[in-house]
């Protein structure tokens, strides 16, 4: 038996013994997602158990080095762990911008002290992070950002405003882009970390068309940030930001996969039923769903390929843009179809039958997929210029 | 197994790319068409394919082949697609070999395929749209059978040495079972092949069988149980056609992106216009997703995984969609020059249309995915 076979067997047995039954059901609502953070009072007992057990093995971040709280697994072992988790439909024990975005950037650009300070806490879900990138006048044109960090000896004084800061009102720390040199555009940006509990930080949720407010406006008023919290070199934050954006796009592209077509098909079968041959009774809806499923299944293969290529260092550095573009467009298409399949039930906004408008709110939420993390148009610009090498 | 080519497969791809690119570029297709060639492909080139070992990719080492898999066959097919090379590789070295593999017929036909002497054609389709069903009849006669009926869209059917024919020996037309697969020598009495030139300049035959007598040995596998070898043939053929389509789509995209980088209008390279950049980037994304779908199907087929069947339909449907987009965008972005016979992009559009129909189009396979998923 090869080492990998042994690893699979042991992993399977461990997951079987340690994954609580409640954590083997599909994610239905926002409450089911574990974000971690200082305040863990909102976690249910099974969520807490699952998080703690996985974190103890380093399996919330299986491919990070052990000294930073990771599992130290190889690419092949990580893939196998993912497969074994999928086999028992185990939920992710921890969702975190720390894992998917800041962690990889710290691993590449952080000092040893920064890695030892922050990575293990991310791995254990002890600190919830948010991302301070966009500003009112710096969305797609991110390098126009104006939030300033003035040199004050051993610390910076940060002033300005961020917008679309996901879950800023619930985050413990922020990784933030600030301007440290006003004379150049991309060359005057730095990447800093600070505690959201610092004096001068305030947040205000933004109500969205879905009726939720996952995003905030975030204000900084003379916030003191120690210089030890600068990641990468002064004025070189753009490199860190770009690297991190690649990981963000990678994460968002995964949304094209969430749920697959099962719920869609079930929804359609429930509303329109089947014809004499057992086919979905609305032939045009059936055709649309079938063609959607072809793309979704093909994209699932592409996601697997992309991850395999990333781990092997073979992916084009701009490929996350393609993945983000395709995954989010696909996710929007799925929810559009899901609304069509649900019919009038799906547009109910508050009823118990509709789960408080779950379908409609989720559908509206997806409309931001092709805007946040860089719009679809920005991703296409990147693919055109960096992969296809089209001019100017 | 990671979902990208390993080192050996990458080497094979480079070899195939050089070989096909040098020996059978698009100019070769143009030459065959302009000379009104009646065969539809270059027999000398087919021999060279054999000398390179390509025709034995799917044939086991014990039978003198390379004992490789669908990933490797696909690597060659993609280059065939990229160069629009007319070749019996898909029908013979991929689909026919998959059907014959492990049956008593393998011993008879594999040596000729390995040496590049034998060309096989697939008499599967009975109407203008590919279907899974088989209605053509084979009646028992003595120790053999008599085949009567018609087939169409039989690529290379007018020059093939071997015809693989699906006919019904039991049950009614709608039944999945009761089908028998036959290896019919091309010179069988009562068999008429009418070659038809297709839009892409390739030639496919309409075949009529008027009581064509074959002996019992012609049965591939078992009588009434031809669905197994037929399914092998279809899975291999569909996956192979997907790989070839991917090559056609990729070739068209390369041509188009190259054109965007050199054509000037309004004093600027047209590739600098955002309207065209976005469409080119979208096309790139569709082709990348299609590439992954093809590789997934090939790997699952090689692993004899039960999930292969769905993956094969996803691959054929996805390449159908992506390559259709690629050739349409190709002609459009080339503007007027794209409509000229002199320029190659139109050849890609015509080849894509033929391959899209072969072994079932995107709608056929999306329907298959839906049925497999229970709706």
């Amino acid at each position: 038996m090869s080492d990998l076979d042994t690893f699979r067997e042991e992993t399977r047995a461990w997951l079987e013994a340690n994954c609580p039954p409640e954590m083997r059901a599909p994610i239905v609502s926002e409450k089911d997602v574990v974000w971690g953070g200082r305040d863990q009072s909102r976690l249910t007992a099974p969520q807490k158990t699952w998080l703690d057990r996985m974190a103890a093995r380093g399996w919330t971040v299986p491919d990070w080095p052990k000294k930073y709280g990771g599992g130290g697994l190889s690419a092949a072992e990580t893939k196998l762990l993912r497969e074994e988790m999928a086999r028992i439909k185990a939920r992710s024990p921890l969702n975190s911008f720390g894992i998917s975005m800041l962690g990889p950037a710290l691993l590449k650009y952080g000092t040893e002290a920064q890695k030892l300070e922050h990575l293990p806490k991310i791995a254990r879900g002890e600190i919830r992070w948010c991302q301070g990138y966009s500003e009112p006048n710096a969305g797609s044109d991110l390098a126009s950002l104006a939030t300033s960090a003035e040199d004050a000896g051993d610390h910076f004084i940060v002033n300005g405003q961020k917008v679309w800061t996901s879950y800023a009102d619930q985050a413990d720390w922020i990784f933030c882009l600030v301007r440290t040199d006003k004379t150049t555009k991309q060359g005057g940006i730095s990447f800093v970390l600070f505690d959201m509990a610092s004096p001068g930080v305030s947040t205000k949720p933004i109500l969205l068309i879905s009726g939720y407010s996952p995003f905030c406006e975030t204000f900084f008023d003379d916030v003191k940030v120690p210089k030890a919290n600068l990641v990468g070199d002064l004025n070189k934050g753009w490199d860190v930001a770009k690297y991190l954006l690649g990981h963000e796009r990678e994460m968002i592209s995964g949304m094209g996969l969430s749920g697959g077509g099962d719920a869609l098909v079930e929804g359609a079968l429930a509303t329109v039923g089947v014809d004499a041959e057992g086919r979905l009774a609305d032939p045009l809806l059936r055709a649309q769903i079938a063609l959607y499923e072809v793309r979704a299944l093909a994209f699932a293969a592409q996601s697997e390929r992309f991850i395999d290529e990333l781990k092997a260092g073979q992916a084009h550095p701009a490929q996350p843009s393609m993945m983000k573009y395709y995954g989010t467009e696909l996710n929007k298409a799925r929810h559009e179809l899901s609304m069509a399949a649900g019919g009038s039930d799906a547009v109910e906004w508050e009823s118990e039958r509709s789960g408080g408008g779950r379908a409609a709110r989720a559908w509206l939420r997806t409309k931001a997929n092709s805007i946040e993390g860089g719009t679809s148009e920005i991703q296409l610009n990147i693919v055109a210029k960096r992969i296809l090498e089209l001019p100017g | 197994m990671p979902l990208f080519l390993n080192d050996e497969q990458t080497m094979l791809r480079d070899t195939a790319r050089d070989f096909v690119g040098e020996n059978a570029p698009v100019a070769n297709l143009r030459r065959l068409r302009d000379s009104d060639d009646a065969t539809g492909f270059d027999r000398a080139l087919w021999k060279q394919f054999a000398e390179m070992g390509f025709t034995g990719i799917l044939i086991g080492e014990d039978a003198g082949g390379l004992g490789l898999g669908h990933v490797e066959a696909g690597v060659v097919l993609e280059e065939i697609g990229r160069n629009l090379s007319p070749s019996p590789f898909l029908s013979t070295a991929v689909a026919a070999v998959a059907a014959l593999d492990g049956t008593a017929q393998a011993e008879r036909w594999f040596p000729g395929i390995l040496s590049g002497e034998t060309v096989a054609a697939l008499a599967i389709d009975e109407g203008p749209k590919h279907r899974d069903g088989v209605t053509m009849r084979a009646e028992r006669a003595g120790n053999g059978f008599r085949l009567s009926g018609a087939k169409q869209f039989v690529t290379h059917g007018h020059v093939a040495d071997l015809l693989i024919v699906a006919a019904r020996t039991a049950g009614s037309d709608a039944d999945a079972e009761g089908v028998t697969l036959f290896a019919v020598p091309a010179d069988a009495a009562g068999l008429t092949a009418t070659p038809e030139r297709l839009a892409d300049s390739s030639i496919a035959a309409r075949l009529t069988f008027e009581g064509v007598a074959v002996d019992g040995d012609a049965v591939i596998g078992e009588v009434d149980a031809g669905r197994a070898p037929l399914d092998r043939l279809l899975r291999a053929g569909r996956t192979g056609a997907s790989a070839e389509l991917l090559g056609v789509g990729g070739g068209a995209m390369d041509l188009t992106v190259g054109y965007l980088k050199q054509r000037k209008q309004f004093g600027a390279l047209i590739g600098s216009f955002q309207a065209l950049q976005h469409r080119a980037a979208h096309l790139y994304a569709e082709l990348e997703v299609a590439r992954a779908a093809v590789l997934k199907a090939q790997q699952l087929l090689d692993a004899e995984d039960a999930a292969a069947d769905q993956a094969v339909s996803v691959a054929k449907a996805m390449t159908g969609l992506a390559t259709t987009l690629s050739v349409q965008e190709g002609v459009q972005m080339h503007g007027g020059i794209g409509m000229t016979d002199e320029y190659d992009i139109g050849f890609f559009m015509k080849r894509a249309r033929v391959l899209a129909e072969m072994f079932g189009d995107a709608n056929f396979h999306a329907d298959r995915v839906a049925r497999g998923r229970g709706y």
Side-chain angles (χ1 to χ4, degrees):
Chain A
M1 192 184 279
S2 77
D3 290 351
L4 270 183
D5 289 335
T6 310
F7 179 79
R8 186 187 288 278
E9 228 169 61
E10 288 170 2
T11 300
R12 185 173 293 188
W14 188 87
L15 288 172
E16 202 54 68
N18 288 280
C19 183
E22 297 88 343
M23 296 293 100
R24 303 184 193 192
I27 299 241
V28 177
S29 76
E30 179 71 7
K31 288 198 309 291
D32 298 339
V33 180
V34 173
W35 289 95
R38 282 176 188 146
D39 174 15
Q40 301 213 343
S41 63
R42 271 174 297 208
L43 298 190
T44 64
Q47 283 176 335
K48 177 106 181 79
T49 302
W50 182 221
L51 171 59
D52 289 346
R53 286 179 181 169
M54 286 290 276
R57 281 185 90 88
W59 281 4
T60 52
V61 281
D63 57 349
W64 287 11
K66 282 189 173 171
K67 66 172 168 171
Y68 304 135
L73 301 189
S74 68
E77 288 167 338
T78 303
K79 185 171 179 175
L80 203 146
L81 169 62
R82 211 169 46 227
E83 285 169 10
E84 287 303 312
M85 286 176 67
R87 203 181 61 81
I88 60 166
K89 298 190 168 61
R91 288 181 190 169
S92 166
L94 181 61
N95 261 45
S96 146
F97 298 154
I99 292 175
S100 55
M101 289 153 68
L102 177 61
L106 277 183
L107 281 167
K108 186 168 168 74
Y109 291 98
T111 63
E112 187 61 18
Q114 288 169 339
K115 291 180 195 175
L116 288 170
E117 167 67 18
H118 296 295
L119 293 175
K121 291 180 187 168
I122 289 173
R124 293 194 299 264
E126 291 170 3
I127 294 291
R128 183 167 180 179
W129 287 85
C130 64
Q131 177 194 48
Y133 273 28
S134 294
E135 297 184 9
N137 290 308
S140 289
D141 183 13
L142 184 59
S144 293
L145 64 91
T147 293
S148 66
E150 302 287 340
D151 192 328
D154 64 344
H155 62 271
F156 298 106
I157 298 292
V158 173
N159 277 289
Q161 184 196 340
K162 295 288 173 182
V163 73
W164 307 122
T165 324
S166 304
Y167 305 110
D169 53 341
Q170 295 168 50
D172 307 308
W173 275 64
I174 186 167
F175 48 96
C176 194
L177 290 178
V178 293
R179 183 156 296 288
T180 38
D181 181 350
K182 294 192 170 82
T183 58
T184 79
K185 206 176 170 189
Q186 292 180 0
I189 293 170
S190 298
F191 189 100
V192 295
L193 316 173
F194 54 93
D195 195 322
M196 290 291 280
S198 308
V201 177
S202 60
T203 63
K204 190 174 137 201
I206 303 167
L207 188 64
L208 298 184
I209 53 178
S210 58
Y212 292 130
S213 46
F215 298 114
C216 294
E217 292 179 285
T218 307
F219 305 90
F220 309 125
D221 184 13
D222 286 339
V223 180
K224 228 174 128 177
V225 176
K227 277 194 177 161
N229 292 1
L230 175 73
V231 179
D233 294 336
L234 187 71
N235 294 330
K236 290 279 175 27
W238 190 247
D239 296 337
V240 186
K242 271 199 314 190
Y243 183 76
L244 191 151
L245 273 173
H247 283 271
E248 178 180 19
R249 283 161 191 170
E250 208 181 301
M251 174 190 70
I252 295 177
S253 74
M255 290 192 305
L257 301 172
S258 52
D262 290 349
L264 188 56
V265 171
E266 280 167 27
L269 287 171
T271 49
V272 303
V274 294
D275 65 14
E277 268 99 53
R279 292 180 199 173
L280 203 61
D282 178 339
L284 291 181
L285 180 62
R286 177 178 184 272
Q288 287 176 336
I289 293 176
L291 285 166
Y292 161 78
E293 285 217 288
V294 164
R295 288 184 192 282
L297 291 163
F299 185 68
Q302 169 58 22
S303 299
E304 186 183 340
R305 170 174 172 243
F306 173 60
I307 289 165
D308 288 346
E309 286 184 342
L310 270 183
K311 306 248 177 213
Q314 291 189 9
H316 189 288
Q319 195 74 323
S321 287
M322 187 285 270
M323 296 298 293
K324 198 269 179 184
Y325 165 70
Y326 208 89
T328 55
E329 294 297 332
L330 206 52
N331 200 41
K332 286 197 298 180
R334 177 162 67 90
H335 281 265
E336 206 58 60
L337 278 171
S338 149
M339 290 303 284
S344 63
D345 283 352
V347 290
E348 286 189 9
W349 191 245
E350 292 174 332
S351 67
E352 198 172 318
R353 164 210 299 278
S354 69
R358 189 187 304 141
R361 290 170 198 267
W363 161 68
L364 288 162
R365 173 66 186 84
T366 64
K367 298 304 174 191
N369 292 168
S370 49
I371 301 169
E372 62 205 348
T375 61
S376 283
E377 290 70 23
I378 288 290
Q379 310 306 336
L380 291 172
N381 284 348
I382 292 169
V383 170
K385 293 199 173 70
R386 293 188 52 206
I387 298 181
L388 301 179
E389 296 174 339
L390 288 170
Chain B
M1 190 184 336
L3 204 57
F4 51 74
L5 298 183
N6 65 27
D7 290 346
E8 291 78 26
Q9 290 160 348
T10 304
M11 274 170 56
L12 176 65
R13 184 201 59 197
D14 293 345
T15 304
R17 184 163 289 181
D18 290 347
F19 174 80
V20 181
E22 277 166 30
N23 295 288
V26 182
N28 195 43
L29 165 66
R30 190 180 283 280
R31 185 180 53 74
L32 284 169
R33 184 200 65 169
D34 291 349
S35 64
D36 206 17
D37 175 87
T39 306
F41 61 92
D42 186 338
R43 278 189 186 277
L45 184 68
W46 180 234
K47 286 284 247 186
Q48 280 180 279
F49 261 74
E51 283 158 20
M52 295 292 289
F54 293 160
T55 59
I57 282 178
L58 286 178
I59 295 177
E61 285 176 296
D62 52 347
L66 297 181
L68 298 171
H70 291 280
V71 175
E72 288 82 3
V75 155
V76 175
L77 277 163
E78 186 179 343
E79 299 311 319
I80 287 174
R82 187 181 305 279
N83 292 282
L84 307 180
S85 314
S87 168
F89 184 81
L90 176 58
S91 63
T92 307
V94 178
V97 165
L100 298 170
D101 195 30
T103 74
Q105 291 288 329
E107 216 170 297
R108 173 167 178 200
W109 294 104
F110 279 1
I113 293 173
L114 283 168
S115 67
E117 303 285 342
T118 299
V119 167
L122 314 168
I124 305 298
D125 285 350
E126 299 181 351
K129 294 301 282 184
H130 176 79
R131 291 284 174 261
D132 276 332
V134 174
T135 64
M136 181 173 154
R137 293 274 158 182
E139 310 283 345
R140 282 187 184 274
N143 72 342
F145 295 85
R146 277 184 183 280
L147 277 57
S148 299
K151 298 279 182 178
Q152 66 185 71
F153 202 30
V154 185
T155 308
H156 315 304
H158 65 305
V159 290
D161 309 284
L162 162 67
L163 293 160
I164 305 228
V165 184
R168 179 159 295 286
T169 41
S172 62
D173 290 357
D175 290 352
E177 296 310 317
V179 170
T180 303
L181 210 56
F182 295 94
V184 180
D187 54 7
L191 172 60
T192 314
T194 311
E196 301 289 353
R197 179 84 63 188
L198 306 183
D200 66 342
S201 310
S202 71
I203 301 171
R206 288 178 181 274
L207 301 182
T208 53
F209 296 80
E210 292 178 66
V212 173
V214 294
D215 58 31
D217 291 350
V219 173
I220 299 172
E222 305 288 331
V223 176
D224 294 348
R227 191 52 72 175
L230 178 57
D231 280 347
R232 288 203 302 272
L233 179 157
L234 289 173
R235 278 195 292 271
R238 287 162 176 171
T239 307
S242 304
E244 191 173 342
L245 262 171
L246 187 65
V248 174
M253 184 180 83
D254 289 350
L255 211 54
T256 305
V257 170
Y259 187 73
L260 294 178
K261 289 176 185 174
Q262 48 117 338
R263 168 72 169 167
K264 281 191 167 180
Q265 292 278 269
F266 306 106
L269 291 170
I270 63 172
S272 67
F273 301 150
Q274 198 177 51
L276 300 189
Q277 287 187 351
H278 283 189
R279 283 163 49 188
H282 171 71
L283 168 56
Y284 167 80
E286 292 284 357
L287 279 174
E288 284 289 287
V289 172
R291 172 174 298 284
V294 171
L295 190 53
K296 187 77 192 171
Q298 292 165 341
Q299 287 191 354
L300 289 173
L301 261 190
D302 285 335
E304 296 179 22
D305 193 302
D309 199 49
Q310 183 190 64
V312 168
S313 277
V314 168
K316 186 65 170 66
M318 189 65 217
T319 50
L321 296 171
T323 295
T324 299
L325 178 74
S326 179
V327 297
Q328 286 173 347
E329 287 289 56
V331 170
Q332 179 66 22
M333 291 202 208
H334 274 84
I337 197 174
M339 291 301 297
T340 63
D341 183 74
E342 189 186 338
Y343 211 77
D344 285 342
I345 189 71
F347 281 64
F348 283 84
M349 172 161 278
K350 292 187 261 192
R351 182 67 185 145
R353 186 64 250 154
V354 171
L355 279 171
E357 285 301 321
M358 200 176 283
F359 298 113
D361 68 2
N363 289 343
F364 174 87
H365 285 287
D367 176 75
R368 224 167 156 268
V369 168
R371 275 186 286 144
R373 303 255 298 122
Y375 63 93

